Amino acid sequence: MHKDLLQRDQQYVWHPFTPQTLAPKPLGVKAAKDCKIILEDGKEVIDAISSWWVNIHGHGNEELAETLKQQALNLDHIIFAGFTHEPAVTLAEKLIPLLPGKFDKCFFSDNGSTSTEIALKMAIQYFWNTGDKKRKKVIAFEGAYHGDTFGAMSMAGRTPFSAPFEEFLFDVNYLPFPTAENWEEVKSLMVEYTKNEDACCFIFEPLVQGASGMRMYKAEQLDELIGIAQSHGTLCIADEVMTGFYRTGKLFATNHLINHQPDIVCMSKALTAGILPLSLTFCTQKIYDAFLVDDMMKTFFHGHSFTGNPLACAVAIKSLEMLLSEKRQNQIDHIIKSHQKFAEILSTLPFAKNIRQTGTILAFDYDTEKDTSYFNSIRDELYNFFLSKGILLRPLGNTVYFHTPYTITQEELDHIYNIVHRLFKEGLSTMKADRC
Ligand SMILES: *Cc1c(COP(=O)(O)O)cnc(C)c1O
């Protein structure tokens, strides 16, 4: 007897970030094309969060698929220790001149978490190799997210998600998330943490903290904090995993900085247009020089089976070319401007608060206090409501945000705006009562 997809899934598969008994059953997906996810029953859902912030050119892109096919036929994958190949070298060559500041070396891995782990290990070993033994502190923002592996989890803010591991995580010196009000306090804490020259690195999500609710802060503030940290020899790590590739309106969020630049940059997510796993960690010559010694013990002993995967590199090169095209740049500009207009409309609606935008990311909170009905979980209520209207939006608590592929059509944008407009005008309880 042929079992359906959902039954087979439930028998064998464990899904990410999913409460196993409380979450609704997953939706079976038959295909995805452009900005639409096509479900098994034929229903279409607009992918307004770029499939967890990765997709930028839409699904099923023919140019990317053709690039992948040709690369697979020519060279699929080989060991990257002792061997090299065109796609990896070309990708590094093309990205390095586009980075904020002067970067010299590119280290390959497979996902955002490994890219930040590698950054951390590079920073720690840099001081080990140079004999600066007292630099043990790691500085990060409260509410930071840098991935789900141990080092990445340690560097992030503590949340209920990390609670079971708490005793196994290393200590971090936290800076409050910078605002206009606490700014002097944040700056003096940074001085406090770095002045004794015992801080190894400062890691941050530039301009936008993604996972903790699309929280936004100013480039000028980050610029100053990097300046303070670097003046005391602390290495600065920009985690551009979510913000890279024009999410903030520039290629990288750190391109918004004015006087200072990070020492290490991590990228992943949109790097391959969201179709293959790949990540990169870039460092400056100063860091690399500490590894340029005839001493085996100073080697960076880190690598993964799929380091430098040619398929992912080839797709990343093609994606970058498409991203820099005039057509895509115009689409990005258009999204930024339409979101700006919509943000103005939102600001007049009773249930919308904390409306904020950085580049193509627009975020706003649903004001639960204005809604008299009681919601068990506003996040689930909102998520299900949007799905019922054919839109995939995955709120973070009561924060709704747009994070769409750049190829989203006007018709799709208008549909999203219309639904969100009605919801934030009438409130969730009214909208849900209205079953039409
Ligand atoms: C998603 C994310 C990561 C982790 O990336 P994965 O590919 O999910 O491991 C790290 N840092 C930031 C800022 C992210 O948004």
Side-chain angles (χ1 to χ4, degrees):
M1 177 65 195
H2 180 71
K3 285 195 199 158
D4 72 14
L5 178 67
L6 185 59
Q7 271 180 317
R8 284 155 53 218
D9 175 280
Q10 297 296 285
Q11 189 168 359
Y12 296 112
V13 182
W14 193 344
H15 289 267
F17 270 101
T18 305
Q20 296 302 302
T21 60
L22 303 172
K25 303 278 177 276
L27 302 171
V29 175
K30 191 164 63 181
K33 188 66 190 167
D34 303 324
C35 294
K36 298 226 172 58
I37 298 169
I38 302 143
L39 303 181
E40 284 222 298
D41 62 7
K43 200 178 157 219
E44 294 185 346
V45 179
I46 301 172
D47 188 353
I49 57 152
S50 296
S51 282
W52 247 347
W53 319 343
V54 297
N55 191 294
I56 50 176
H57 304 302
H59 298 277
N61 183 283
E62 292 192 8
E63 277 179 88
L64 294 174
E66 187 56 33
T67 302
L68 177 57
K69 178 183 170 192
Q70 293 308 328
Q71 186 58 48
L73 291 171
N74 185 52
L75 170 63
D76 43 19
H77 182 72
I78 50 129
I79 175 172
F80 203 54
F83 293 85
T84 191
H85 50 71
E86 191 65 41
V89 177
T90 304
L91 180 60
E93 248 171 19
K94 284 192 184 292
L95 278 169
I96 280 179
L98 300 172
L99 294 177
K102 187 163 174 355
F103 287 84
D104 295 276
K105 287 288 180 291
C106 174
F107 199 96
F108 293 75
S109 61
D110 324 323
N111 59 71
S113 307
T114 54
S115 75
T116 60
E117 293 271 353
I118 287 165
L120 172 70
K121 286 177 72 175
M122 271 180 189
I124 293 174
Q125 196 179 338
Y126 168 81
F127 291 113
W128 195 82
N129 281 9
T130 54
D132 193 347
K133 299 273 191 265
K134 69 178 194 322
R135 291 194 179 263
K136 302 274 191 271
K137 269 190 217 158
V138 171
I139 304 166
F141 283 124
E142 284 168 6
Y145 179 74
H146 299 295
D148 287 339
T149 52
F150 257 86
M153 236 191 330
S154 289
M155 293 190 285
R158 301 291 178 263
T159 68
F161 302 150
S162 60
F165 315 104
E166 191 100 23
E167 288 176 50
F168 297 85
L169 303 177
F170 59 74
D171 284 338
V172 168
N173 289 69
Y174 291 110
L175 295 171
F177 185 79
T179 61
E181 293 75 42
N182 71 7
W183 178 227
E184 290 307 318
E185 182 203 339
V186 173
K187 263 198 304 191
S188 52
L189 256 179
M190 181 56 112
V191 173
E192 192 60 39
Y193 290 158
T194 53
K195 68 173 185 216
N196 295 330
E197 317 243 310
D198 57 355
C200 154
C201 61
F202 164 43
I203 184 165
F204 51 85
E205 292 158 271
L207 309 200
V208 188
Q209 273 190 345
S212 71
M214 297 295 158
R215 300 202 295 170
M216 301 176 186
Y217 64 108
K218 290 194 160 53
E220 293 77 13
Q221 293 178 313
L222 181 58
D223 207 44
E224 257 191 81
L225 293 175
I226 294 175
I228 299 170
Q230 287 177 338
S231 72
H232 297 292
T234 302
L235 296 176
C236 293
I237 304 170
D239 176 355
E240 291 258 16
V241 170
M242 188 279 281
T243 48
F245 303 98
Y246 286 99
R247 289 306 186 186
T248 68
K250 296 198 182 200
L251 183 51
F252 296 103
T254 38
N255 289 128
H256 292 272
L257 296 173
I258 313 107
N259 300 311
H260 304 283
Q261 296 300 343
D263 302 282
I264 299 178
V265 177
C266 308
M267 62 183 73
S268 185
K269 292 203 164 115
L271 169 64
T272 59
I275 74 172
L276 285 169
L278 181 70
S279 60
L280 304 174
T281 307
F282 291 90
C283 73
T284 57
Q285 189 66 37
K286 175 181 107 168
I287 295 172
Y288 183 67
D289 278 346
F291 296 81
L292 263 188
V293 282
D294 293 338
D295 178 352
M296 265 291 279
M297 291 317 297
K298 293 190 172 175
T299 306
F300 192 52
F301 286 112
H302 188 111
H304 298 278
S305 314
F306 288 97
T307 299
N309 178 256
L311 303 175
C313 291
V315 167
I317 295 164
K318 188 70 194 173
S319 170
L320 183 64
E321 179 193 317
M322 289 161 64
L323 184 60
L324 298 176
S325 71
E326 200 182 329
K327 182 175 173 205
R328 202 64 87 236
Q329 291 295 312
N330 290 339
Q331 286 168 314
I332 292 168
D333 279 349
H334 178 71
I335 291 172
I336 295 173
K337 294 200 182 99
S338 333
H339 283 359
Q340 276 163 353
K341 269 193 225 141
F342 185 65
E344 275 169 39
I345 298 169
L346 264 179
S347 68
T348 66
L349 303 181
F351 290 95
K353 63 174 186 181
N354 302 333
I355 300 154
R356 52 206 186 269
Q357 180 178 6
T358 302
T360 64
I361 307 168
L362 178 66
F364 39 95
D365 299 347
Y366 182 80
D367 194 344
T368 43
E369 274 156 31
K370 291 232 172 87
D371 208 329
T372 48
S373 72
Y374 175 74
F375 295 109
N376 271 330
S377 160
I378 186 67
R379 184 247 165 236
D380 293 352
E381 299 273 346
L382 291 168
Y383 178 80
N384 291 329
F385 170 76
F386 291 127
L387 262 188
S388 76
K389 302 292 180 195
I391 305 168
L392 172 58
L393 281 169
R394 206 171 191 277
L396 295 154
N398 65 334
T399 297
V400 176
Y401 64 89
F402 300 154
H403 201 108
T404 73
Y406 301 140
T407 50
I408 191 160
T409 64
Q410 191 60 49
E411 195 189 346
E412 288 162 337
L413 268 182
D414 288 342
H415 179 61
I416 298 168
Y417 290 153
N418 277 334
I419 296 298
V420 170
H421 185 265
R422 279 177 58 199
L423 173 70
F424 281 79
K425 184 168 170 220
E426 294 169 31
L428 194 50
S429 18
T430 314
M431 288 292 280
K432 286 180 55 157
D434 163 23
R435 283 275 164 222
C436 59

